[in-house]
Amino acid sequence: AGTGLAGGAVPREGIVLGLARLRELTVRKEDLVAVAGAGAVTGEIQTAAENHGLFYPPDPASSSVSTIGGNIATNAGGPHGFKYGVTRDYLLGLEVVLADGTIVQTGGATLKNATGYNLTALLCGSEGTLGVITRAALRLIAKPEERAGVLAAFGELEAAAQAVLDVIGTGIVPAALELLDRTALECAARDDWPEPPGAVLLVEVDGAPETVNRQASEVGEICRRRGAYDVRTAMDENMAWFYRLRRSVSGALVNLYPVKIGEDVVVPLSMVPGFIRKISEVGASTGVRIVVFGHAGDGNLHPNILFDPRETDARHVEAAKAAVFKAALKCGGTLSGEHGIGSLKAPYFQDAVGPDAVRIMRGIKRVFDPHGLLNPGKIWAVDGE
């Protein structure tokens, strides 16, 4: 709904096709399924599921305004991705309109389906290049009995990054494990600390009450051992601060900096501390401010490039952007975990997947859209393919 972060919906000599009126939303509790039109807002789907005692886990930070059609187009994730997975993991079936007007039904509303090629999964993350998604069947699961949030403030960013590995190494599987650096906190939480920490970890655990209490205590102790000097814990009904802080970061950065390029890269978990260190080096070498936050639990980080175009040379911004992508790929990572490739990352796409994968994807594109009508110039930097 207008919140794409990789230029995926910016038209290239074409039109913008808006699907906001497709707001159908039905929860079929007995089937553990929700059926939603492409324009249904993600947060409304989550609320509808909770009203039936169920849970739709994918929760992008933009869930109050983003739509399920956009979530499917980019395979959106969010903080709960580490434990629960992303949009594709809850997508059972689709109604899709192809470039020639053919209406295709893929998958269905059953919890298992091994009938033929998985076109549903193929269309998820295709960014509007293969078809126009109009309706989706979504899997719902039981709502966790209880949850708790742990906030841990660290003096140094790298200590927080190491604590991420420590928490995961114990065998605890947090529902969310989020990292925010000092710049993010200066923008989004100026009233919470006299002096913003070097970094904050936000850790959510959920499940049976006795498990939640034990794991929250363990997470707090792990963070203290890594140097956390301020550790706060809140149970289910008192967790508003947890997501208020996390969801407010992106908007707060926009309010303080004229231009923000919100990146989205993924690296192996073991490389998170080293990648964060590399991002600091990129900022220092290019003279561009880079803030780091994101889903540290699954290695999906959001280095945001902040600048004032009246004061910063555009070449330095491009150099910083390219260096971030190069660093992620060198770590064994990739260009996107949830925002998509769009037009912003198209020039770097082949570096990430290789020429043979690009050739195969172009072939798939021609099967679905032989005349290149749908969202041309996206994903790979070739118009009409």
Side-chain angles (χ1 to χ4, degrees):
T3 62
L5 295 172
V10 177
R12 300 284 296 271
E13 299 181 357
I15 65 169
V16 174
L17 179 61
L19 305 176
R21 295 184 183 182
L22 302 181
R23 298 289 294 271
E24 168 195 356
L25 177 55
T26 304
V27 173
R28 291 159 44 177
K29 182 176 181 179
E30 297 80 4
D31 296 326
L32 299 178
V33 168
V35 177
V41 175
T42 312
E44 294 175 358
I45 295 171
Q46 293 167 332
T47 299
E50 290 175 3
N51 289 341
H52 288 81
L54 299 172
F55 184 33
Y56 179 67
D59 59 336
S62 59
S63 61
S64 64
V65 291
S66 65
T67 60
I68 194 64
N71 288 180
I72 294 167
T74 60
N75 191 25
H80 285 135
F82 176 60
K83 181 174 184 177
Y84 290 105
V86 295
T87 300
R88 183 179 283 126
D89 300 307
Y90 296 86
L91 189 57
L92 301 174
L94 291 171
E95 177 187 84
V96 182
V97 181
L98 302 184
D100 64 0
T102 302
I103 300 175
V104 176
Q105 308 287 338
T106 73
T110 58
L111 299 184
K112 295 179 72 175
N113 189 328
T115 309
Y117 293 166
N118 193 341
L119 298 179
T120 304
L122 174 63
L123 286 156
C124 183
S126 63
E127 301 187 46
T129 62
L130 301 182
V132 180
I133 295 165
T134 53
R135 181 182 289 116
L138 306 167
R139 178 187 174 212
L140 305 177
I141 63 175
K143 185 178 178 180
E145 289 183 66
E146 194 167 291
R147 58 181 186 156
V150 179
L151 177 152
F154 296 79
E156 299 295 333
L157 177 57
E158 284 195 42
Q162 290 292 342
V164 170
L165 301 183
D166 292 349
V167 170
I168 295 170
T170 64
I172 295 173
V173 183
L177 210 174
E178 299 289 295
L179 174 73
L180 292 82
D181 76 359
R182 176 176 279 118
T183 301
L185 296 164
E186 287 174 350
C187 294
R190 285 176 290 176
D191 297 331
D192 293 336
W193 289 277
E195 178 68 26
V200 157
L201 283 186
L202 297 171
V203 187
E204 178 187 341
V205 292
D206 65 4
E210 60 276 13
T211 301
V212 168
N213 290 329
R214 175 177 54 80
Q215 290 187 344
S217 178
E218 288 181 18
V219 167
E221 185 54 37
I222 290 168
C223 291
R224 288 187 185 94
R225 287 200 298 267
R226 271 292 174 186
Y229 62 86
D230 181 4
V231 177
R232 311 175 193 178
T233 303
M235 301 308 291
D236 205 332
E237 65 278 6
N238 298 314
M239 282 182 59
W241 53 265
F242 186 101
Y243 285 112
R244 174 190 62 78
L245 178 56
R246 175 60 183 87
R247 296 188 192 284
S248 66
V249 172
S250 187
L253 295 176
V254 170
N255 290 335
L256 291 180
Y257 291 86
V259 180
K260 176 179 78 73
I261 301 176
E263 288 304 347
D264 155 50
V265 295
V266 190
V267 298
L269 285 178
S270 62
M271 302 300 293
V272 167
F275 178 72
I276 288 174
R277 189 162 52 247
K278 180 62 178 176
I279 294 307
S280 298
E281 294 171 3
V282 169
S285 65
T286 59
V288 177
R289 192 80 180 267
I290 304 178
V291 56
V292 179
F293 61 93
H295 320 307
D298 54 19
N300 185 191
L301 297 172
H302 300 312
N304 277 230
I305 299 172
L306 313 171
F307 64 98
D308 185 334
R310 297 166 297 184
E311 301 173 357
T312 305
D313 191 321
R315 290 172 297 180
H316 295 167
V317 175
E318 287 301 314
K321 187 169 67 172
V324 167
F325 295 150
K326 183 178 179 180
L329 296 178
K330 189 174 182 179
C331 286
T334 192
L335 297 179
S336 178
E338 55 192 10
H339 294 175
I341 302 302
S343 56
L344 185 69
K345 301 179 184 180
Y348 309 94
F349 184 67
Q350 184 164 296
D351 292 338
V353 303
D356 290 333
V358 171
R359 175 178 53 80
I360 292 169
M361 291 184 201
R362 285 178 176 163
I364 293 171
K365 166 74 169 172
R366 284 191 287 271
V367 170
F368 278 81
D369 180 19
H371 301 295
L373 299 176
L374 297 175
N375 215 7
K378 307 301 167 56
I379 302 183
W380 44 76
V382 180
D383 288 342
E385 289 197 81

